[in-house]
């Protein structure tokens, strides 16, 4: 769907990268390597998004860093479109409605970094009905056309595994932060 609205695949990748998790910062060569595209193709799209004020650019020494402009009037709208495209909105709705006492849910790994790898790593904290989780996961995978890998933890386990799970770069999709990032 997004491909029909936005014809540049590079622009779509950049929007996913920066708007899925607005804390993401990246530079030109890093993006070119990650996307497997030329620096020129990336530069053109970064300039377009920066000129539209959707991305901000700043310098870190000699390196020019880019990040989403969270103050832009369309930021939340674009972020919602990106979340819908990735299926994260449906994932959160299904989980909370049917799984029991979900205190917090995070997306970690590739999706939290803005990579559409086809596998969503999901960390759930609370008392989760594992039978329902399997049912909801299978149903949601069909809806969003992506695989979901889950990890159920207690609040204490989450605190212990904070660094290992890289929660500093996690995407909170439900609940209130339980770990100081």
């Amino acid at each position: 769907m997004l491909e029909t609205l936005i014809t540049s695949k590079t622009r779509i990748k950049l929007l996913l990268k920066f708007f899925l998790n607005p804390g993401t910062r990246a530079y030109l060569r890093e993006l070119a390597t990650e996307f497997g595209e030329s620096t020129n193709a990336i530069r053109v799209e970064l300039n377009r998004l920066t000129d539209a004020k959707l991305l901000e650019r700043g310098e870190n020494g000699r390196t020019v860093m880019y990040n989403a402009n969270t103050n832009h009037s369309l930021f939340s709208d674009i972020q919602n479109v990106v979340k819908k495209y990735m299926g994260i909105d449906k994932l959160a709705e299904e989980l909370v409605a049917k799984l029991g006492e979900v205190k917090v849910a995070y997306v970690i790994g590739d999706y939290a970094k803005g990579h559409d790898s086809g596998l969503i790593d999901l960390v759930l904290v609370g008392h989760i009905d594992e039978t329902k989780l399997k049912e909801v996961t299978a149903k949601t995978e069909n809806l969003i056309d992506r695989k979901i890998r889950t990890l159920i933890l207690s609040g204490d386990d989450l605190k212990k595994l904070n660094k290992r799970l890289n929660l500093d770069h996690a995407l909170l999709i439900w609940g209130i932060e339980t770990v100081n990032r």
Side-chain angles (χ1 to χ4, degrees):
M1 174 203 86
L2 204 52
E3 294 85 4
T4 57
L5 294 173
I6 302 171
T7 56
S8 168
K9 291 181 182 192
T10 303
R11 192 173 314 145
I12 291 172
K13 290 177 186 177
L14 289 169
L15 290 173
L16 293 174
K17 174 88 175 163
F18 291 112
F19 282 83
L20 187 60
N21 191 344
T24 300
R25 293 178 43 103
Y27 59 94
L28 176 65
R29 291 198 188 282
E30 172 186 22
L31 293 166
T33 302
E34 180 181 321
F35 297 162
E37 296 188 29
S38 72
T39 53
N40 193 46
I42 302 292
R43 182 181 295 110
V44 166
E45 294 302 334
L46 285 171
N47 287 341
R48 286 182 179 152
L49 293 170
T50 303
D51 289 346
K53 307 274 190 265
L54 292 171
L55 293 182
E56 296 175 323
R57 101 189 247 161
E59 294 184 14
N60 185 3
R62 291 179 22 186
T63 305
V64 177
M65 301 294 290
Y66 295 88
N67 59 282
N69 178 1
T70 57
N71 296 320
H72 194 282
S73 60
L74 295 176
F75 172 79
S76 59
D77 295 325
I78 293 171
Q79 187 178 44
N80 287 335
V81 168
V82 166
K83 285 182 178 180
K84 284 182 189 309
Y85 174 75
M86 301 291 276
I88 291 174
D89 60 328
K90 287 204 183 322
L91 180 61
E93 289 170 17
E94 291 287 324
L95 290 174
V96 174
K98 299 181 179 174
L99 292 184
E101 187 186 330
V102 179
K103 292 182 181 176
V104 68
Y106 292 101
V107 171
I108 61 171
D110 288 345
Y111 274 81
K113 295 173 188 168
H115 305 300
D116 188 358
S117 65
L119 175 65
I120 298 175
D121 288 310
L122 183 65
V123 176
L124 301 168
V125 178
H127 300 289
I128 312 297
D129 181 337
E130 291 189 43
T131 305
K132 285 278 189 196
L133 176 60
K134 287 179 185 173
E135 290 172 19
V136 169
T137 300
K139 178 182 173 190
T140 306
E141 285 176 342
N142 288 332
L143 282 172
I144 65 175
D145 196 30
R146 289 167 177 83
K147 295 296 288 173
I148 301 169
R149 181 169 49 190
T150 59
L151 176 63
I152 301 170
L153 299 173
S154 69
D156 291 338
D157 290 338
L158 184 68
K159 287 177 185 173
K160 290 177 191 170
L161 295 172
N162 180 9
K163 290 237 188 276
R164 182 181 256 173
L165 295 174
N166 199 11
L167 290 181
D168 290 339
H169 294 90
L171 179 62
L172 178 69
I173 62 169
W174 177 257
I176 299 170
E177 290 284 345
T178 58
V179 176
N180 294 333
R181 295 203 221 185

